[in-house]
Amino acid sequence: MPKEHSCTEPGCGKKFLRAEHLSRHRLNHQPKQIFQCAACPKRFVRKDLLRRHERRHEKGMWFRNSGGVVAEGDNDTASLLHDSTSYTQESPQRALESTAMFTDREQEDDVRMSDESVKMLPYEQEPAETYGEQGPTQTYGEQEPTETYGQMDEIENMQVNNTDFLPALPDQEVTSLFFDPSITIPDPALDFEWLFDNLSADLNNPGGMPSVVSPQSSVSLPGISPPAFGAVQSPVRIRHSISSQSSGSSPWAEVRTNLLKALNSLTQDVLMSSFFYPNNLAGFWDLYFENYHPHFPILHKPTLDPVSASPLQVAAIVTLGSTLSGDAGHFDVANKIHDSLRYIIFGTPDFDPPASLWCVQTLLIIQAHEKMFSTRKHHQLAHIFHGAIITLMKRGVAYQHTTHAPGSTATERSWHQWVEIQASNRTAFFGFVMDAQHTFMFGHTCILSVHDVRLPLPCADVLWECSRPEEWDRMMRKTPESPGFLPVLKRLLARTPIPPHCSAFSRLILLHGLFSVTAHLKARDSVTLGVGRGGPSTANSPRLDAIDTWKETVERAMDIWSFSLVSRSSSLALEASRPLHRMAYAAIYTDINDIHILAGAPSLLGSMLSATDRMRATARVRAWSQSHDSKKALYHCLLLIQETIFTGQLYSAASDNIALRPWSIYHAALILWAYGAMARERSNPQHEQQRISYSAEEYLVRMLMLLRNESDQVDVIAQETSELLLAVRESLEGCRWELLQEAWETLGRLIK
């Protein structure tokens, strides 16, 4: 009988045939170093086990005790099933794998791992393992005692069990929506370096990327792109007649009762308003799902019942829907509800971390409402609480897998489980989209980085819209898997087209990935002022050449992304992307805060500005107007206004169901005005009497022509912005959003 090596730790008593196995086992009790998986909550006491675990993520696996399985078609399925002892045939093949993805960055970290890491025997030397239905056992080729590990495979995973290192949260019920950077904090100066790695290699590899010609590059103008293909849809708000259901028999009567009970702290004049009439609530609900849901499909409409859903979530949905109703009184009531709605949610038990998924979704819908449809006070409060919501999402969301009916089938259980996880991923992406979008649109600081979103892109719309488990199961078998967000974004920067099966929402997300990269690299350039780049300290980092020319790289990526706008089918998500696509170019080359200050517009951040602030902003805009970069921003601003206002149909921002399109054309007008103001400052006063006034359309046509030809006459025409500002101002007439009302007033002052 071979000698046994027993663990002497109190309460353990496990036995091993080899001393080195016992030595490795002791690391569970007294770890020397903890290794955190970047893609899931698992932690390890050995680097080689972390690497093995990460390779399983690459194959589409999640983590043990969470029902994760390998993707369909994996030849190694039989040998890898032990990664999830809770695997059953009823589990959907891709239901839980979407919670996290392994990224290229971790692969690079492995390659850079120095020889100074803790030396461990390679895992190939560990005992061979066989797995039966009763769980893992070890065989040594002879009649040896069996070691039982229960639910966890100790020799392979050696996951830290000490509660000091890992919170005792059930993996299947709680997951973080974002990667938590508190585990490993990267070097800020090189944080984006890996995204630009091997760009030249990718471009020069004929087998790695198909040769494409962007619809943005058909005109031979260096550095300036023409408009994308595809006719711009007319921005018309979708209005529906309010439902005429009987208030006595309609389920919306019960919804009304639930709402009044949940919002009982509001004043009586609000609670007794016609806003809460059942037929009005039903109409607001429909308006939301027909106008806003396609922008950010984070809710699963087939399973969302307004009667059984949280009344606070229903309140957020109907108040946002009411912004499209024809009754201005209902719009005012919605604003009064939002004076208290967020704080009522803060007081619910579901808000405590880990928050329930409905709670996080509701807070994000509230933020969308207050940032883009309500008062300036609400806009600023939404900005203040944005960071708190992101922190809450990083703490995790609680799933409700155990709430399904006892008699439900395996397919039904799998469907509901899949819906919850898909909804949580979509919710995380919605938070990321608003974070990236509002950095340029409102001058807010970017809290999230693309590295924080290590998730697969949302599934195809046809799969998300399935209303029955059987339909979902059938579609699941023939729908391609969604690729990972970070790998697709990196390939996009290498000018590789987006996979054709990516949904419209996924393409909107990728556009905001470029927004986020732009915001962070602009901040890096602002902080470092270029100091230290290109010096000896960076000589061994070939990626810095690419990252130092990031503006050209991101601009080319946007050219490739523009193919998303060439679509046979209409999509509100892609229609919303059109103005944002133009603004994404402008975001590279302009600082909208400085232009707001120059124009004397109300501060985007609500802060008081001194005379010194205005002088510095004016100096920066003056320097910007003299650079070639400004011409690129002007070009896309001109196209945005042309594509929105001068399409042959009257455009009215008050009836637009694309939330940020009016704000985008306002920004475009300010950028054009700022350049014209600086050009007038540089012009010869003797030429003042020779100025010719141009209509808005003449201004657009002449400016586009001069920019394409890189003419020296750009500064002469650029000064004549009055008619253009007037046209933009007229399009903003009658908007309810207070920031657009301020924009209307600002344009009036600039015209005078």
Side-chain angles (χ1 to χ4, degrees):
M1 187 75 178
K3 180 181 178 181
E4 295 182 354
H5 302 272
S6 301
C7 178
T8 59
E9 191 72 20
C12 183
K14 293 192 176 182
K15 299 178 182 180
F16 302 85
L17 293 177
R18 299 181 183 179
E20 60 268 24
H21 293 165
L22 174 61
S23 175
R24 282 180 285 181
H25 164 78
R26 284 174 177 163
L27 291 174
N28 284 311
H29 302 297
Q30 298 176 344
K32 297 179 180 178
Q33 186 175 357
I34 305 301
F35 300 96
Q36 168 73 46
C37 175
C40 77
K42 288 266 182 188
R43 301 187 184 191
F44 303 86
V45 295
R46 284 169 40 200
K47 182 64 176 179
D48 63 314
L49 298 180
L50 172 64
R51 289 176 178 172
R52 174 191 288 192
H53 169 83
E54 289 174 331
R55 281 193 291 272
R56 294 171 187 258
H57 275 305
E58 290 186 273
K59 295 187 177 183
M61 303 180 73
W62 182 218
F63 56 92
R64 186 181 304 276
N65 293 341
S66 68
V69 297
V70 296
E72 292 181 2
D74 195 328
N75 294 329
D76 297 328
T77 298
S79 63
L80 295 175
L81 286 180
H82 65 273
D83 194 66
S84 176
T85 58
S86 60
Y87 170 76
T88 61
Q89 291 296 327
E90 293 81 12
S91 299
Q93 289 294 311
R94 298 193 300 265
L96 293 175
E97 66 179 346
S98 63
T99 310
M101 288 200 69
F102 182 73
T103 64
D104 295 339
R105 179 152 193 170
E106 281 72 50
Q107 291 176 323
E108 295 173 14
D109 290 342
D110 287 348
V111 173
R112 291 198 297 258
M113 181 59 62
S114 66
D115 294 336
E116 297 177 0
S117 300
V118 178
K119 296 293 191 297
M120 292 292 179
L121 289 176
Y123 58 80
E124 288 81 359
Q125 297 180 17
E126 292 180 359
E129 299 172 352
T130 60
Y131 291 81
E133 294 182 356
Q134 302 302 319
T137 59
Q138 285 195 352
T139 58
Y140 294 85
E142 299 180 10
Q143 189 68 26
E144 301 292 353
T146 299
E147 295 185 13
T148 303
Y149 303 110
Q151 290 289 319
M152 299 295 293
D153 175 9
E154 183 171 334
I155 285 187
E156 177 181 344
N157 271 351
M158 287 195 179
Q159 183 178 356
V160 178
N161 295 320
N162 191 325
T163 55
D164 292 336
F165 295 105
L166 187 65
L169 295 175
D171 291 336
Q172 197 169 4
E173 296 181 2
V174 177
T175 186
S176 175
L177 295 187
F178 292 119
F179 173 71
D180 188 352
S182 63
I183 305 298
T184 54
I185 302 176
D187 182 351
L190 303 178
D191 195 21
F192 283 80
E193 187 181 328
W194 71 276
L195 266 180
F196 294 80
D197 187 21
N198 295 326
L199 292 189
S200 59
D202 292 339
L203 292 173
N204 295 328
N205 179 8
M209 184 196 76
S211 177
V212 296
V213 179
S214 167
Q216 298 276 358
S217 58
S218 59
V219 174
S220 58
L221 174 66
I224 297 181
S225 306
F229 292 144
V232 179
Q233 298 179 2
S234 175
V236 178
R237 173 176 297 164
I238 305 174
R239 293 184 180 275
H240 294 271
S241 58
I242 297 298
S243 171
S244 59
Q245 298 173 350
S246 169
S247 61
S249 59
S250 166
W252 286 95
E254 185 176 351
V255 174
R256 176 180 186 272
T257 301
N258 296 339
L259 280 173
L260 294 179
K261 183 178 180 181
L263 302 174
N264 60 12
S265 60
L266 300 180
T267 60
Q268 284 300 309
D269 64 309
V270 173
L271 296 176
M272 299 303 294
S273 165
S274 61
F275 181 95
F276 290 101
Y277 288 178
N279 60 331
N280 286 337
L281 294 175
F284 300 154
W285 180 274
D286 291 342
L287 285 171
Y288 172 87
F289 279 101
E290 291 169 10
N291 292 275
Y292 297 131
H293 178 71
H295 286 74
F296 36 87
I298 64 175
L299 304 176
H300 192 246
K301 187 181 179 183
T303 57
L304 183 63
D305 180 8
V307 176
S308 58
S310 166
L312 297 176
Q313 185 174 41
V314 174
I317 293 172
V318 296
T319 52
L320 185 50
S322 70
T323 61
L324 288 175
S325 69
D327 192 328
H330 291 159
F331 179 83
D332 294 336
V333 171
N335 285 339
K336 292 178 181 178
I337 293 173
H338 275 262
D339 285 338
S340 304
L341 184 56
R342 178 187 290 107
Y343 308 109
I344 295 174
I345 295 174
F346 287 171
T348 63
D350 283 345
F351 176 73
D352 296 337
S356 296
L357 181 58
W358 76 262
C359 187
V360 175
Q361 290 173 329
T362 303
L363 289 171
L364 289 176
I365 294 174
I366 290 173
Q367 181 166 307
H369 180 281
E370 296 185 354
K371 275 245 181 140
M372 295 176 281
F373 301 98
S374 189
T375 64
R376 171 169 278 276
K377 181 189 77 171
H378 285 162
H379 176 85
Q380 294 177 356
L381 285 173
H383 173 45
I384 291 170
F385 284 108
H386 172 67
I389 296 173
I390 297 300
T391 301
L392 180 70
M393 295 168 75
K394 287 185 176 182
R395 295 288 182 90
V397 295
Y399 292 153
Q400 304 294 327
H401 296 328
T402 60
T403 61
H404 307 311
S408 59
T409 66
T411 302
E412 289 174 334
R413 290 193 298 271
S414 297
W415 182 46
H416 285 286
Q417 209 169 33
W418 176 87
V419 165
E420 283 185 302
I421 294 172
Q422 180 71 207
S424 72
N425 287 356
R426 288 166 175 261
T427 300
F429 277 121
F430 182 40
F432 169 74
V433 163
M434 283 201 289
D435 184 75
Q437 185 183 97
H438 297 170
T439 55
F440 179 72
M441 291 299 182
F442 304 116
H444 297 166
T445 303
C446 217
I447 295 176
L448 289 170
S449 163
V450 292
H451 311 112
D452 295 321
V453 190
R454 305 188 180 189
L455 299 169
L457 290 165
C459 68
D461 292 338
V462 66
L463 196 59
W464 183 239
E465 294 166 0
C466 288
S467 58
R468 298 187 309 277
E470 297 75 18
E471 179 187 3
W472 166 80
D473 186 56
R474 184 173 60 256
M475 293 302 302
M476 193 78 171
R477 299 175 188 275
K478 59 182 181 181
T479 304
E481 289 187 61
S482 298
F485 165 69
L486 278 175
V488 175
L489 181 63
K490 182 172 183 179
R491 290 196 292 268
L492 191 58
L493 288 166
R495 302 175 71 182
T496 303
I498 300 172
H501 59 274
C502 282
S503 65
F505 186 43
S506 296
R507 294 170 188 270
L508 177 68
I509 290 167
L510 288 167
L511 175 62
H512 287 85
L514 297 177
F515 256 118
S516 181
V517 170
T518 297
H520 282 279
L521 291 181
K522 284 177 69 175
R524 183 204 67 153
D525 289 351
S526 176
V527 171
T528 63
L529 301 177
V531 176
R533 290 157 52 191
S537 61
T538 60
N540 296 325
S541 185
R543 289 172 287 186
L544 287 182
D545 287 341
I547 201 171
D548 283 344
T549 58
W550 66 267
K551 292 183 179 180
E552 292 79 5
T553 302
V554 174
E555 186 174 358
R556 288 195 300 266
M558 289 175 186
D559 290 345
I560 299 300
W561 183 93
S562 67
F563 279 99
S564 300
L565 299 174
V566 185
S567 175
R568 292 181 179 179
S569 58
S570 61
S571 165
L572 203 57
L574 288 181
E575 186 62 20
S577 299
R578 290 183 184 275
L580 296 174
H581 173 235
R582 295 298 182 196
M583 284 292 99
Y585 283 102
I588 300 175
Y589 299 110
T590 58
D591 187 327
I592 198 63
N593 275 318
D594 285 344
I595 291 177
H596 267 255
I597 294 172
L598 179 68
S603 171
L604 286 173
L605 302 177
S607 57
M608 301 298 294
L609 299 173
S610 65
T612 303
D613 294 330
R614 299 184 187 280
M615 289 177 59
R616 290 173 177 171
T618 302
R620 289 191 294 266
V621 174
R622 184 179 295 114
W624 162 80
S625 69
Q626 295 172 346
S627 68
H628 182 69
D629 288 352
S630 62
K631 307 294 194 306
K632 299 180 181 180
L634 295 182
Y635 186 77
H636 289 280
C637 291
L638 291 164
L639 288 175
L640 172 58
I641 295 176
Q642 183 186 61
E643 294 167 349
T644 305
I645 299 180
F646 298 97
T647 60
Q649 298 182 11
L650 179 64
Y651 172 78
S652 174
S655 59
D656 193 349
N657 63 342
I658 304 298
L660 280 179
R661 180 154 45 194
W663 191 249
S664 297
I665 64 171
Y666 167 60
H667 271 188
L670 285 187
I671 292 171
L672 293 170
W673 168 84
Y675 184 90
M678 294 297 101
R680 181 173 301 173
E681 186 182 85
R682 294 192 298 269
S683 65
N684 190 332
Q686 296 179 355
H687 296 163
E688 190 71 18
Q689 296 179 352
Q690 302 175 8
R691 289 173 50 188
I692 302 175
S693 179
Y694 295 104
S695 69
E697 285 188 274
E698 287 178 321
Y699 169 85
L700 288 171
V701 171
R702 289 177 179 272
M703 283 290 292
L704 286 171
M705 180 183 66
L706 292 173
L707 287 171
R708 287 171 180 167
N709 295 329
E710 295 192 307
S711 171
D712 295 334
Q713 296 299 310
V714 168
D715 282 10
V716 176
I717 308 298
Q719 303 175 37
E720 308 303 323
T721 57
S722 296
E723 292 297 322
L724 181 78
L725 296 182
L726 181 60
V728 173
R729 186 173 190 257
E730 289 175 350
S731 72
L732 302 182
E733 185 81 39
C735 289
R736 293 172 179 168
W737 183 23
E738 191 169 324
L739 264 66
L740 280 181
Q741 294 174 2
E742 294 175 353
W744 183 83
E745 294 172 357
T746 298
L747 291 176
R749 289 196 301 270
L750 297 181
I751 293 171
K752 293 179 180 179

